[in-house]
């Protein structure tokens, strides 16, 4: 992006009414490797791309179990994400201790958002550089939320964050109307397909992605590599018969152009969307 | 000028007895299901046994409100452990945690007399016995609660390992089969409920072994 005289600390407004430090924090989310989430009436599936620093190292953990009924996938500064997961786990444990019932997802998400907001209004703090996809189940059904560094949160039917997430978003936009009534297995297949979109031609294998599921009668858990590989195998066979997927590259370019258009002072600040 | 005595106590004793016996590859934990206060019975069907981890079960007698609070504390701490270590707590680890949790309230104790039973990391049965402030010891068998004075001598007679001063050193694990241990428990509770007014109604027996955890019940005298 660009530097200007209003981006030194988070407590400085720009003349256009923007907090650049917060927007830069949102940029950090876009730099992280992709994470996607989608939900049906009864299940929520999270998926992420496993990025390793080098061939020698293991990949970073991006999906965390928060409680039996809540899980989170992160993109951006994974260290910030780890700290926030620990906070979420604590909140769930404390709520359960006091009320002997699981913390409703909507409540947790608001607490997270308030925590993020504090960091946008203190001169000695910086915003969390991580976007969280919170998947959870409570009495009112299955939920998928996205928490930004800005302190905003939104509920989604399906969403993708991180680098090359636009490709996944395009795929999800085409298919999301079917998700509400999808079966659990179809939802997982859609998640893996969405992840494949972000890989831009790289071979899809179970070592490169992590999938987690939470649903009615199914506590949050991360699927093991063997199961994921089996699912990949089933539809790789189907895909061979269909032919390669439509151009993700064209979609990427138009999305990039749109981004730059919004980046000038005249454009809408990203956190206001 | 005599010392002023408290006219209210934060504690109550809900009675009951707990027993645990460790075997080579199993552990049996049992407690009666009677909850009393004074000379009255509050309920005949109260469970004093709590599963803390996959292979770790605790039975506690004493003041059940404190017992409940203690169980909740341990469950919450166990959840944190699982998040951080990605696995269940072993029985010896839980034993240390329980001791620390009890001593934390050394100056306003949990009125809870506990026996912890389960399998250690190698799959061998283990029993840990506690006092109210966390002093604990790994043993082959133990009994706590109102009937313990009646039960312990009988268990000593049947199971006591030779003195630790004797050489060669002997294992803390008693050489008893699972079915024999359960039978012994039933005998022991039947005897205790004859003379201890706070023990009776039903025994809840929990067996922890390699196959998992299972539960049994046996009726006792209702008087």
């Amino acid at each position: 992006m660009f530097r200007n005289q209003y981006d030194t600390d988070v407590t400085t407004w720009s003349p256009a009414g923007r907090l650049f430090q917060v927007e830069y924090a949102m940029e950090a989310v876009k730099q992280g490797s992709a994470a996607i989430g989608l939900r049906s009436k009864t299940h929520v599936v999270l998926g992420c791309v496993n990025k390793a620093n080098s061939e020698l190292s293991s990949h970073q953990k991006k999906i965390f179990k928060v409680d039996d009924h809540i899980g989170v996938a992160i993109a951006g500064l994974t260290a910030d994400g780890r700290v926030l997961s620990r906070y979420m786990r604590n909140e769930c444990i404390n709520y359960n201790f006091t009320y002997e019932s699981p913390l409703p997802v909507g409540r947790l998400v608001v607490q997270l958002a308030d925590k993020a907001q504090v960091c946008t209004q203190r001169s000695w703090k910086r915003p969390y550089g991580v976007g969280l996809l919170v998947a959870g189940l409570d009495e009112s059904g299955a939920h998928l939320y996205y928490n930004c560094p800005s302190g905003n949160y939104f509920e989604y039917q399906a969403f993708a964050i991180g680098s090359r997430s636009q490709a996944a978003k395009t795929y999800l936009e085409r298919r999301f109307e079917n998700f509400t009534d999808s079966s659990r297995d179809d939802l997982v297949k859609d998640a893996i397909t969405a992840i494949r979109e972000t890989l831009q031609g790289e071979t899809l294998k179970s070592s490169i992605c992590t999938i987690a599921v939470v649903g009615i009668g199914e506590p949050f858990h991360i699927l093991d590599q063997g199961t994921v590989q089996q699912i990949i195998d089933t539809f790789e066979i189907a895909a061979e018969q269909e032919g390669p997927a439509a151009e993700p590259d064209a979609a990427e370019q138009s999305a990039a152009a749109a981004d730059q258009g919004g980046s000038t002072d005249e454009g809408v600040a990203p956190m206001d969307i | 000028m005599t010392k002023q005595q408290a006219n209210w106590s934060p504690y109550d004793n809900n009675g009951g007895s707990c027993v645990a016996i460790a075997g080579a590859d199993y552990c049996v934990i049992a407690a009666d299901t009677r909850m009393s206060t004074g000379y009255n019975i509050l309920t005949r069907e109260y469970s004093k046994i709590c599963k803390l981890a996959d292979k770790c079960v605790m039975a506690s007698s004493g003041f059940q409100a404190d017992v409940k609070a203690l169980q909740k504390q341990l469950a919450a701490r166990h959840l944190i452990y699982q998040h951080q270590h990605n696995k269940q707590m072993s029985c010896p680890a839980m034993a240390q945690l329980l001791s620390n949790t009890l001593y934390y309230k050394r100056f306003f104790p949990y009125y809870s007399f506990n026996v912890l039973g389960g399998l250690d990391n190698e799959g061998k049965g283990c029993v840990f016995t506690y006092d109210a402030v966390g002093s604990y010891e790994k043993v082959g068998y133990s009994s706590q609660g109102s009937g313990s004075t009646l039960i312990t001598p009988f268990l000593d007679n049947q199971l006591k390992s030779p003195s630790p001063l004797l050489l060669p050193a002997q294992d803390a694990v008693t050489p008893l089969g699972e079915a024999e241990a359960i039978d012994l428990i039933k005998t022991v509770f039947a005897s205790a409920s004859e003379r201890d007014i706070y023990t009776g109604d039903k025994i809840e027996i929990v067996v922890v072994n390699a196959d998992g955890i299972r539960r049994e019940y046996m009726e006792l005298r209702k008087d």
Side-chain angles (χ1 to χ4, degrees):
Chain A
M1 280 178 79
F2 46 83
R3 292 165 182 277
N4 51 53
Q5 52 186 219
Y6 308 111
D7 65 356
T8 312
D9 57 50
V10 76
T11 50
T12 305
W13 287 99
S14 83
R18 297 160 71 162
L19 291 170
F20 283 110
Q21 277 297 308
V22 179
E23 291 178 29
Y24 296 166
M26 316 260 283
E27 274 305 301
V29 177
K30 294 184 200 154
Q31 302 301 328
S33 57
I36 59 117
L38 21 75
R39 76 170 157 110
S40 72
K41 231 185 337 222
T42 56
H43 287 79
V44 194
V45 178
L46 291 174
C48 71
V49 172
N50 297 339
K51 189 169 74 165
N53 271 339
S54 75
E55 274 180 26
L56 299 169
S57 76
S58 62
H59 64 84
Q60 293 203 303
K61 192 161 171 210
K62 283 162 55 83
I63 296 190
F64 299 91
K65 174 169 174 170
V66 167
D67 203 347
D68 281 339
H69 66 298
I70 301 181
V72 65
I74 62 175
L77 264 52
T78 42
D80 284 2
R82 206 177 55 236
V83 158
L84 286 176
S85 313
R86 202 180 320 143
Y87 166 76
M88 293 165 79
R89 285 168 176 170
N90 248 342
E91 291 300 301
C92 285
I93 289 175
N94 288 336
Y95 185 95
N96 209 320
F97 188 94
T98 311
Y99 298 102
E100 294 264 339
S101 72
L103 176 56
V105 197
R107 297 273 295 265
L108 179 60
V109 160
V110 173
Q111 283 173 260
L112 248 183
D114 287 346
K115 194 169 161 71
Q117 191 280 339
V118 167
C119 298
T120 67
Q121 212 175 8
R122 306 279 184 270
S123 59
W124 63 89
K125 283 180 181 261
R126 64 156 177 84
Y128 287 105
V130 64
L132 301 113
L133 282 171
V134 183
L137 224 59
D138 58 27
E139 282 179 355
S140 52
H143 299 278
L144 174 68
Y145 289 93
Y146 171 53
N147 278 68
C148 310
S150 60
N152 277 333
Y153 66 96
F154 310 93
E155 182 157 13
Y156 284 96
Q157 187 72 42
F159 199 49
I161 56 177
S163 71
R164 301 190 284 207
S165 58
Q166 188 52 52
K169 264 189 264 189
T170 315
Y171 172 80
L172 293 171
E173 274 166 27
R174 268 188 282 136
R175 300 281 307 254
F176 80 94
E177 266 142 0
N178 302 330
F179 289 162
T180 322
D181 298 311
S182 259
S183 73
R184 173 217 188 264
D185 293 329
D186 283 340
L187 216 60
V188 174
K189 278 206 200 101
D190 276 318
I192 297 180
T193 317
I195 295 203
R196 189 177 57 180
E197 299 295 314
T198 69
L199 292 174
Q200 307 278 47
E202 248 179 279
T203 1
L204 175 66
K205 31 181 210 274
S206 62
S207 55
I208 213 168
C209 64
T210 307
I211 306 284
V213 187
V214 63
I216 296 184
E218 191 176 352
F220 184 90
H221 65 286
I222 298 178
L223 301 184
D224 73 286
Q225 285 224 335
T227 321
V228 177
Q229 188 58 49
Q230 272 178 354
I231 304 176
I232 293 176
D233 291 335
T234 51
F235 67 68
E236 290 285 68
I237 299 169
E240 267 167 32
Q241 294 163 352
E242 268 180 56
E247 293 69 52
D249 291 284
E252 263 285 77
Q253 281 166 15
S254 55
D259 241 14
Q260 264 153 31
S263 295
T264 58
D265 267 0
E266 257 62 63
V268 181
M271 60 191 156
D272 287 340
I273 301 164
Chain B
M1 183 75 184
T2 45
K3 184 178 173 184
Q4 212 192 17
Q5 297 279 352
N7 54 12
W8 177 82
S9 167
Y11 296 115
D12 187 16
N13 191 350
N14 300 121
S17 315
C18 308
V19 176
I21 299 179
D25 59 352
Y26 68 89
C27 187
V28 186
I29 301 99
D32 69 324
T33 60
R34 173 178 288 177
M35 188 177 179
S36 344
T37 175
Y39 286 120
N40 302 312
I41 293 180
L42 289 173
T43 176
R44 299 190 189 276
E45 298 186 25
Y46 191 80
S47 172
K48 298 188 189 51
I49 302 184
C50 176
K51 177 179 138 173
L52 296 176
D54 256 0
K55 304 278 170 168
C56 186
V57 173
M58 178 175 79
S60 324
S61 76
F63 180 36
Q64 290 301 322
D66 273 358
V67 168
K68 185 60 130 209
L70 180 62
Q71 288 170 352
K72 285 178 77 157
Q73 263 278 51
L74 293 173
R77 291 298 304 278
H78 186 221
L79 203 46
I80 296 173
Y81 182 97
Q82 284 178 79
H83 281 143
Q84 292 176 340
H85 297 80
N86 233 6
K87 62 171 184 165
Q88 299 263 329
M89 268 178 104
S90 66
C91 199
M94 186 60 85
Q96 186 65 53
L97 177 63
L98 174 54
S99 171
N100 293 344
T101 308
L102 290 169
Y103 196 80
Y104 197 73
K105 278 177 52 80
R106 170 67 178 80
F107 300 110
F108 183 11
Y110 288 107
Y111 193 119
S112 166
F113 300 97
N114 312 295
V115 282
L116 193 74
L119 303 180
D120 63 17
N121 281 323
E122 294 151 24
K124 282 169 41 181
C126 55
V127 169
F128 299 89
T129 188
Y130 295 79
D131 72 358
V133 284
S135 160
Y136 82 110
E137 188 190 358
K138 177 164 177 217
V139 287
Y141 63 92
S142 170
S143 149
Q144 294 278 359
S146 59
S148 66
T149 46
L150 299 166
I151 294 174
T152 308
F154 187 73
L155 289 178
D156 284 343
N157 177 273
Q158 298 289 307
L159 303 175
K160 188 171 175 129
S161 27
S163 161
L165 299 171
L166 221 57
L167 288 174
Q170 303 257 12
D171 221 359
V173 169
T174 49
L176 209 63
E178 192 180 301
E180 292 169 293
I182 296 176
D183 223 47
L184 182 57
I185 298 259
K186 292 180 177 173
T187 310
V188 134
F189 267 97
S191 308
S193 55
E194 291 290 317
R195 295 287 180 173
D196 178 23
I197 59 173
Y198 298 108
T199 303
D201 292 330
K202 238 182 0 203
I203 327 171
E204 184 184 5
I205 304 174
V206 172
V207 184
V208 186
N209 56 23
D211 302 328
I213 302 189
R214 77 166 199 283
R215 203 169 291 249
E216 263 181 57
Y217 293 92
M218 191 189 92
E219 296 293 325
L220 288 176
R221 291 183 68 125
K222 316 283 180 207
D223 65 356

